[in-house]
Amino acid sequence: MILGIHDGHDAGAVLIDRGRLFAVNEERLNRTKKYRGFPALSMKKVMEMAGAEPEDVEIIAVAGIFRKQKRLLELEENLRTVFGREFKRKVIFVEHHLAHSASAYYTSGWRDALAVSIDAAGDGLSSSIYIARDGEMIRIAQSTYLDSLGDFYASVTELLGFKPMRHEGKVMSLAAYGKPTYDLSSIIELNGLSFDNHLGVIGVEATRKLAELFDYPLRHAKEIALQMKRGKLEGKFQKKAIEIAASAQAHLEKLMEELGLELRSRNLPLAYAGGVAQNVKANAVLRHILGDDNLWVFPAMDDGGLAFGAAVFVNAQFERLDGRWKPARLEHVYLGPAYGPEEVEELLKKEGMEFEEVDVSFITDALVDGKLVGFFQGAMEFGPRALGNRSILADPRNERVKERLNVALKRDVFQPFAPSLLWEKAGEYLEDLGGKPNEFMTMSYTASESFRELAPAVIHVDGTTRPQAVRREINPAYYEIIKAFERKTGLGAVLNTSFNMHGEPIVCSPEDALRTFRKAGLDVLVVEGLAVWRQG
């Protein structure tokens, strides 16, 4: 039994028990978004889900190596408290980028692949490229934290008044509203398989330097960002912010295109993770170069997936020693806590709420009637995306539903919503699909003309969409909802956004779901087949 933990930004824990996987991030349990620290609750939760005790854990795979003395002593004390005085016998540290790359390679299903990690920084590096063969990973290229592509994009994020290391997706979304007007090749470029940062600085110093280069009022950036959040995209500084975002996104895509062309010559598929892999538009550029079936983006690609990477890396090494290792594809990420209907019924009775047992037709009728439906079932998704088990659903045919959702969830109005669609409809709805559709919302596609007309609420301003293709055998209950919606409307897709208020983690428990349902003022909440309605 191997326990993987990440003690740091996006803390979490993963347990591997004879092929069974259990995974959850600390934020989902302590309700602190992007929690930084020791994953005490998630560590306890994965052991509880596996029916394991601390003494059952044979190896503790810790993601990340370089730690300040105080942090290392805190980590050791926390582990000693749970596992006893001899805990050090169980601990194996796994370097940050090795954990990222391992999370992608060992879930890709490929025996031979390139494994790539790109982010802001970790253990002194910002990117790593490995040749992976027969379960062994050999690093062939890297970039230091000073030559960081992720830090470049984070600095642009901060420059525009958003939170770096958290709101990079907002910059990507904003970029679609304008055209790139700045050539950023003098700031950072690709050199072989590594990056060169010509600014010479990182972090807040890079942000200040970018403010000078762009002549952007850094002191007013948060105020400008707040105006854009509320929908004011006109005006001198808003226009400039959009041009900067578009230029940064275009340059990122250019660099990923150059890297993709370099990697394609090695004739191996690409397994990819790290914070930069959250950029679905740049991922689409890689997909166009490599092909749909030659790119795998690990669904928990950010630091929230490091515990997973550390655990699967150590697990694979022991399997290799025993001659048992073989490639395996991760079929789904429903790896978190689950709650039974009895538990839900008890909660609703305690809260004095009226409820009734409902079926698929009830949910689809509610969607067709324009209702916002909180939908909660089964094991929680691992990673940043809600994939039908902790989701808010709506009718994608009605573009006005976006405004309702933005107000309800306090979202930025310029950010798009995404669809969950039937697996067999992907070829019809996605114009640039060249292989198997994406099941984890890690990729952007160009929507077909018919899909743009049928589902305007899930199409971004540039005509792209970030879909989840749903297979019946993977999530039968969710598939049946979409199928029933198709029978009623002719559209085999629903709007699916994560079940959380903006700035909060996705809900984990029925209590979380009920709280968010009330706060957001959703119309209907369906938890494990039991429905409640908004009061008043």
Side-chain angles (χ1 to χ4, degrees), residues 125 127-131 138-143 192-194 266:
L125 299 177
S127 74
S128 285
I129 298 176
Y130 298 81
I131 296 283
I138 300 171
R139 181 181 283 151
I140 61 168
Q142 63 188 28
S143 301
L193 295 177
S194 303
R266 296 177 181 268

Side-chain angles (χ1 to χ4, degrees), residues 8 21 30 76 122 142 305 312 335 380 442 496-497 509 522 536:
L21 284 171
N30 68 11
E76 290 186 346
Q142 63 188 28
V312 294
L335 306 174
M380 183 178 64
T442 60
N496 167 19
T497 193
S509 68
L522 303 179

Side-chain angles (χ1 to χ4, degrees), residues 339-357 510 514 527-530 532:
Y339 304 83
E342 300 83 5
E343 192 173 349
V344 176
E345 188 171 334
E346 185 179 333
L347 169 67
L348 296 177
K349 285 179 178 177
K350 179 182 174 184
E351 293 288 324
M353 302 196 73
E354 293 184 2
F355 60 90
E356 70 171 279
E357 191 171 339
L514 188 57
V527 185
E528 296 301 343
L530 301 177
V532 298

